[in-house]
Amino acid sequence: GAVVSQHPSRVICKSGTSVKIECRSLDFQATTMFWYRQFPKQSLMLMATSNEGSKATYEQGVEKDKFLINHASLTLSTLTVTSAHPEDSSFYICSASENDRPNSGYTFGSGTRLTVV
Amino acid sequence: GDSVTQMEGPVTLSEEAFLTINCTYTATGYPSLFWYVQYPGEGLQLLLKATKADDKGSNKGFEATYRKETTSFHLEKGSVQVSDSAVYFCALRGGATNKLIFGTGTLLAVQP
């Protein structure tokens, strides 16, 4: 089945530094990928829609200069948290839908636990 | 806009008990409906889905039926196991967009 690999699974960084998270579709092509942030008590917030070869579409209230998204190929999207602060600490999850199977649902990565100290 | 309302947890059950997690939705058009499961420390896994009214999705003993008349997609399992302990998310994907809209999630804890 479809697999999405997300890396790293855990990262600790200092305040003011930047962190890059990768999301790869391993055995399918995905024109569109999605980035979510998961807050305590489980809720998932859609941050942005990543589009291959074009600019990402950000949800209301998400700072595009803070959370940089690049989708340079049909199998890779990256999220860079710039100038990280402790309040950016969270669980970030990506997902992708197979181009050839639009009704198959989305495949999720295993998530990245970011801790900013 | 589109939205999903899911019963709040946590839901605590004894092993072999019957499970129902309610989910209702608001959407224009004809959305596809999903249930995802998240085990501790992991990402989300698709549990089951239904793409049109009256469809029943099923997997691993879990079932959910797409009810257009009640705009619901309740998750059920006849006999839960300790290994079913996880967070369950109801979600929809509307016809106008590829976005997946999630409910708030329901934590299920099954005790031996």
Side-chain angles (χ1 to χ4, degrees):
Chain A
V3 177
V4 170
S5 173
Q6 189 172 339
H7 179 79
S9 57
R10 291 179 178 273
V11 58
I12 300 173
C13 70
K14 293 183 178 181
S15 289
T17 62
S18 296
V19 174
K20 180 185 284 187
I21 303 170
E22 292 188 348
C23 180
R24 294 181 183 271
S25 57
L26 294 187
D27 47 4
F28 64 96
Q29 293 185 335
T31 301
T32 303
M33 295 185 178
F34 301 88
W35 288 95
Y36 293 84
R37 182 174 178 175
Q38 188 170 29
F39 293 97
K41 296 194 176 181
Q42 311 125 32
S43 62
L44 278 160
M45 182 191 81
L46 178 63
M47 299 174 66
T49 302
S50 172
N51 303 296
E52 186 268 336
S54 64
K55 292 183 179 180
T57 304
Y58 290 82
E59 296 299 302
Q60 191 173 7
V62 178
E63 299 176 61
K64 61 180 180 180
D65 295 330
K66 171 78 171 174
F67 299 99
L68 299 179
I69 291 173
N70 182 275
H71 194 155
S73 77
L74 288 172
T75 59
L76 174 63
S77 175
T78 61
L79 168 68
T80 301
V81 182
T82 63
S83 188
H85 290 103
E87 57 264 32
D88 298 325
S89 299
S90 193
F91 194 56
Y92 294 87
I93 308 175
C94 70
S95 73
S97 178
E98 295 182 56
N99 283 357
D100 296 333
R101 299 175 61 201
N103 291 323
S104 64
Y106 291 92
T107 303
F108 284 78
S110 55
T112 298
R113 172 71 61 189
L114 170 63
T115 303
V116 185
V117 297
Chain B
D2 295 351
S3 67
V4 175
T5 302
Q6 192 173 339
M7 66 184 289
E8 289 190 16
V11 174
T12 303
L13 296 173
S14 297
E15 207 164 20
E16 299 183 1
F18 184 85
L19 168 71
T20 299
I21 300 178
N22 289 339
C23 172
T24 57
Y25 67 90
T26 302
T28 54
Y30 303 94
S32 295
L33 301 174
F34 306 87
W35 276 100
Y36 284 86
V37 59
Q38 184 179 32
Y39 297 101
E42 299 183 10
L44 276 70
Q45 301 174 29
L46 178 63
L47 181 59
L48 53 86
K49 65 180 174 78
T51 57
K52 60 182 187 297
D54 299 326
D55 269 2
K56 177 186 284 188
S58 62
N59 185 27
K60 299 180 181 179
F62 291 90
E63 293 183 340
T65 301
Y66 189 145
R67 301 286 188 200
K68 194 173 189 301
E69 63 276 15
T70 55
T71 62
S72 65
F73 193 55
H74 305 322
L75 182 68
E76 297 182 336
K77 186 174 185 180
S79 176
V80 294
Q81 305 299 312
V82 172
S83 57
D84 293 326
S85 298
V87 179
Y88 292 82
F89 291 92
C90 185
L92 72 79
R93 182 167 65 187
T97 172
N98 280 332
K99 295 179 185 178
L100 201 57
I101 307 298
F102 283 93
T104 54
T106 301
L107 174 63
L108 170 66
V110 181
Q111 298 176 339

